[in-house]
Amino acid sequence: MLDTIGNTPLVRLSRIEPDLDRDLLIKLEMLNPGGSHKVRIALSMIHDAEQQGELLRGSGQTIIESTGGNTGVGLAMASAILGYRLVLVIPDNYSTAKQRLLRGFGAEVVLSDHRLGNNSHSQLAQRMLLRNPDWVMLHQQANPANPAIHERTTAQEILTALNGRALHAMVAGVGTGGHLTGVGRVLKSQHPDMRIVAVVPEGCSLREERFAPHRIQGLAVGLVPPILDLNLIDQEVQVSYEDCLRMMRQLLQTEGIAVGISSAANVVAACRVAREMPRESCTLTFAYDGISDYLESLTPPHDATPDHVITNAGD
């Protein structure tokens, strides 16, 4: 199962803005096992810890990590296969469907109080680690194995798919910062004039270390992650939660792509950025995960009723 990670497709969005005379590409990372790009870093961090002698495969050692969910799914998959006990700390306002999935994989889920800040889960995980010093924390926000796997795999897949074509902009959300950093470094080295755009929720700025409460899961977690290379970022684009919900619906109904909230944020920003690029330019963004964990946000309760009710066989 773990050998199927990666080699996700790169497709062109041609219907989301039909009059856009520029190419808008999206890498469908939600087609990875576990449903997101985070499975790449989960396995990479475990492998690195094994190579460093911190983890022994099949030992039943306990791994603890704070996560908004997607890294947790990757860690849960890998831990189930490789023989580790896993404790995950996530905010209590994150997807209940994802919490059930994590428990289904065998992980122990601990909820933090999101009212204490966007980084409440990381702070709680650190306190738990102090009480259990024999546990191993992978520190996804500071672990070099995070951006390294994107340099070795994700970025190389993109270059292969582009087949020598020039890339003018890369638009990416920032959670841990590993994805933007790893992919950005490689693509920037091959396309020096490419703009790298960070997607942030309204009221937030990574470059100014400004954070505000928001509902876009996975973005702007309340700190500038140590592995994020801020020097790579040429521009920040702020997006609203409402714009993300609208984009989730648009992608479903125009492109047939079912993405999650942070992926929709990427597309909202990428559409704006593409309009600023020269004609016939190429802008790249990413679908980090799928829509299934966000359906409750997308669909109000009254939408559960049928559009049409047949009351008579002759109707």
Side-chain angles (χ1 to χ4, degrees):
M1 187 63 180
L2 298 178
D3 291 338
T4 67
I5 295 170
N7 294 309
T8 55
L10 187 67
V11 301
R12 182 166 62 91
L13 298 178
S14 57
R15 294 167 56 84
I16 195 72
E17 291 203 22
D19 63 336
L20 186 67
D21 54 354
R22 302 149 176 86
D23 273 352
L24 181 55
L25 306 180
I26 185 166
K27 188 162 174 61
L28 301 181
E29 285 288 273
M30 81 274 204
L31 297 182
N32 274 305
S36 87
H37 67 309
K38 293 290 193 177
V39 69
R40 295 183 190 257
I41 73 166
L43 186 59
S44 175
M45 293 188 299
I46 288 178
H47 280 170
D48 183 68
E50 290 175 340
Q51 291 167 5
Q52 301 297 325
E54 297 176 5
L55 290 174
L56 178 62
R57 190 169 299 191
S59 65
Q61 282 176 273
T62 298
I63 297 172
I64 182 171
E65 190 70 12
S66 60
T67 170
N70 285 328
T71 302
V73 173
L75 288 172
M77 286 181 60
S79 296
I81 293 169
L82 301 177
Y84 296 108
R85 174 177 175 252
L86 180 65
V87 176
L88 295 171
V89 186
I90 67 176
D92 58 4
N93 64 337
Y94 272 34
S95 165
T96 55
K98 192 160 288 180
Q99 293 177 35
R100 291 194 296 270
L101 177 62
L102 293 170
R103 292 188 176 100
F105 274 116
E108 298 174 35
V109 176
V110 178
L111 300 179
S112 70
D113 186 346
H114 75 279
R115 295 171 299 178
L116 300 178
N118 292 339
N119 202 37
S120 63
H121 53 314
S122 294
Q123 295 164 356
L124 177 55
Q126 289 286 353
R127 294 197 298 272
M128 293 178 66
L129 183 63
L130 288 174
R131 295 196 298 268
N132 300 276
D134 57 322
W135 292 4
V136 175
M137 180 177 282
L138 298 173
H139 298 283
Q140 60 172 320
Q141 295 170 344
N143 194 324
N146 179 343
I149 192 62
H150 289 301
E151 292 183 35
R152 293 197 306 270
T153 63
T154 318
Q156 303 304 324
E157 293 166 21
I158 292 167
L159 291 174
T160 298
L162 289 173
N163 195 26
R165 179 172 181 184
L167 189 60
H168 300 86
M170 182 187 105
V171 180
V174 179
T176 67
H179 184 260
L180 183 148
T181 298
V183 176
R185 281 175 180 164
V186 173
L187 296 188
K188 193 83 165 178
S189 70
Q190 299 297 313
H191 304 276
D193 295 329
M194 180 188 77
R195 292 184 65 77
I196 294 181
V197 180
V199 183
V200 295
E202 279 186 330
C204 298
S205 171
L206 293 162
R207 294 192 291 185
E208 298 176 10
E209 295 193 53
R210 185 177 71 250
F211 300 96
H214 64 85
R215 292 187 287 170
I216 305 177
Q217 296 182 17
L219 299 187
V221 296
L223 79 167
V224 177
I227 57 171
L228 173 64
D229 186 350
L230 283 172
N231 294 322
L232 288 171
I233 298 174
D234 298 300
Q235 178 185 353
E236 290 181 317
V237 172
Q238 294 188 10
V239 298
S240 72
Y241 180 73
E242 290 72 24
D243 283 345
C244 295
L245 293 183
R246 280 192 290 270
M247 182 57 73
M248 289 168 72
R249 294 189 183 93
Q250 280 184 261
L251 286 167
L252 280 169
Q253 297 170 10
T254 59
E255 304 284 357
I257 300 176
V259 303
I261 193 79
S262 61
S263 307
N266 280 350
V267 179
V268 169
C271 288
R272 295 178 193 167
V273 170
R275 294 261 178 213
E276 300 170 358
M277 293 291 110
R279 291 181 182 275
E280 300 184 1
S281 62
C282 184
T283 297
L284 167 72
T285 194
F286 304 88
Y288 293 138
D289 66 356
I291 202 170
S292 59
D293 293 326
Y294 310 95
L295 287 173
E296 291 181 2
S297 300
L298 183 67
T299 309
H302 68 268
D303 281 2
T305 59
D307 293 326
H308 304 284
V309 179
I310 299 176
T311 57
N312 185 299
D315 288 348

